[in-house]
Amino acid sequence: MIEIQSVTKMFAADAAVKEVSLTIERGQIAVVVGTSGSGKTTLLRMINRLIEPTSGAIRIAGRDNRSLPPHELRRGIGYAIQGHGLFPHRTVAENIATVPRLLGWDKLKISRRTDELLALFHLDPATFRDRMPHQLSGGQQQRIGVARALAAGPAVLLMDEPFGALDPIIRAKAQDDLLEIQRRLGTTVVLVTHDMEEAIHLGDKIAVMDQGALLQYDEPQEIIANPATSFVETLLGSSDRAFRLLSLENIEALAESGEAEGPTIAAETSRRDALGELLWSGRAAAPVSKREGIIGRVTRQALIEKAARP
């Protein structure tokens, strides 16, 4: 879907991005992670040509992104930033309608799309359609910012630290909302963050950058199990790696026959969260449930063994 080939960006004599190549498949979430100054935001902005590369090429669905005027290219690519970037003098509905209006959609189509997106983000259209941005909470503003980026149904959504200004509880909810909506819409997402925890939670693929260079690009499991450099290992946190691996899979496959007392744990719960629940409650095992009922139990010992031998 997105092919980045040997892309370099020079600012005077300094290379912000150095010969980066990677491919993002259609419908994937690719997360670009790194510290400040690593080149991750510069790389993102070259996809929609907010920054022009010095050399190399970027193709979207096989088409060079330089084949369209920048403003036309950007109308087909959603863009969401930290702090939402909403127009303060426009209502929620007017903000969401920004790109559809530029594309010449009729009023009925815009209204239907606005209500559809509000409902998708669990915001009642009748309640929120006519509110102004200052009347929304931080989490609601961020959701509207993402809804606006998705309004015209772009195949690609770029997100630059979209959840960085949110508190931890709202941030976790916003991340889960993004995963749910991305699965429904099938949008290809490129997301920039400095938070490796967020990258692991959201990414189908993770690109780790440092000083403009791409150090590793792979699935989260592979990056956690086999970090390519000491810098990647430092970003992961060596003491957390086993628990990060546990966060990538749920407990359904570990369900075994046998009895267990106490509250059930849902089969889709991550192995890390299940282990935390057992440690917190002091139980050696817990029943595992799905919609159809109890399917077995998961034991603390099995989870610890998975952490020790992923």
Side-chain angles (χ1 to χ4, degrees):
M1 176 62 178
I2 302 175
E3 301 169 82
I4 299 173
Q5 296 183 328
S6 302
V7 166
T8 293
K9 177 60 184 179
M10 302 293 297
F11 290 108
D14 298 321
V17 173
K18 307 172 186 175
E19 290 285 325
V20 169
S21 296
L22 57 87
T23 298
I24 302 162
E25 301 296 338
R26 186 182 303 276
Q28 281 189 334
I29 299 179
V31 180
V32 186
V33 64
T35 56
S36 297
S38 62
K40 57 189 186 295
T41 292
T42 300
L43 181 66
L44 183 84
R45 291 180 178 176
M46 286 192 284
I47 295 174
N48 65 355
R49 294 180 63 192
L50 287 173
I51 294 175
E52 297 285 359
T54 304
S55 61
I58 298 175
R59 295 180 179 86
I60 301 173
R63 187 175 186 179
D64 194 306
N65 71 343
R66 294 167 294 189
S67 64
L68 288 173
H71 68 280
E72 289 186 25
L73 173 74
R74 292 171 199 146
R75 288 177 187 176
I77 299 175
Y79 188 50
I81 60 174
Q82 180 177 326
H84 60 76
L86 298 177
F87 298 114
H89 58 288
R90 295 183 183 176
T91 65
V92 164
E94 289 169 341
N95 267 284
I96 293 174
T98 300
V99 175
R101 281 179 177 162
L102 290 171
L103 295 175
W105 290 20
D106 63 58
K107 289 183 179 180
L108 180 58
K109 184 178 179 181
I110 290 174
S111 178
R112 287 174 175 170
R113 180 60 170 169
T114 297
D115 288 357
E116 175 191 1
L117 285 166
L118 286 170
L120 198 60
F121 280 88
H122 309 292
L123 298 169
D124 177 44
T127 302
F128 288 93
R129 190 188 300 117
D130 297 321
R131 287 191 180 178
M132 303 301 290
H134 72 270
Q135 296 175 303
L136 307 175
S137 69
Q140 290 167 347
Q141 290 173 347
Q142 194 63 50
R143 282 192 252 174
I144 299 303
V146 178
R148 182 179 62 182
L150 292 170
V156 175
L157 173 62
L158 308 180
M159 309 185 79
D160 191 359
E161 297 275 8
F163 311 126
L166 303 179
D167 68 58
I169 293 175
I170 296 174
R171 181 173 184 157
K173 179 65 169 63
Q175 291 169 353
D176 290 341
D177 284 347
L178 174 64
L179 288 173
E180 177 187 353
I181 290 165
Q182 190 271 342
R183 291 188 189 109
R184 288 194 193 186
L185 301 181
T187 309
T188 303
V189 178
V190 187
L191 184 147
V192 160
T193 183
H194 65 276
D195 184 346
M196 182 59 86
E197 188 81 23
E198 182 167 80
I200 291 168
H201 180 50
L202 295 177
D204 297 303
K205 288 281 195 73
I206 298 174
V208 183
M209 293 188 67
D210 183 42
Q211 297 181 5
L214 179 64
L215 303 184
Q216 191 168 3
Y217 181 56
D218 216 322
E219 296 177 352
Q221 294 92 327
E222 182 61 24
I223 287 179
I224 296 170
N226 299 295
T229 69
S230 58
F231 179 82
V232 178
E233 190 168 7
T234 299
L235 272 186
L236 287 166
S238 57
S239 62
D240 296 336
R241 285 172 59 195
F243 291 98
R244 293 189 191 278
L245 280 170
L246 285 181
S247 72
L248 296 173
E249 296 186 69
N250 64 36
I251 60 172
E252 183 171 1
L254 294 182
E256 61 182 49
S257 60
E259 299 294 325
E261 296 182 354
T264 63
I265 299 178
E268 63 268 22
T269 302
S270 76
R271 296 176 180 184
R272 182 170 72 172
D273 288 348
L275 179 57
E277 166 60 25
L278 291 178
L279 291 170
W280 180 259
S281 64
R283 291 185 288 168
V288 177
S289 64
K290 293 186 73 173
R291 185 175 300 176
E292 59 268 25
I294 304 296
I295 63 170
R297 69 175 185 174
V298 64
T299 67
R300 186 168 59 196
Q301 185 60 37
L303 291 164
I304 291 173
E305 287 177 359
K306 278 295 179 183
R309 294 189 297 276

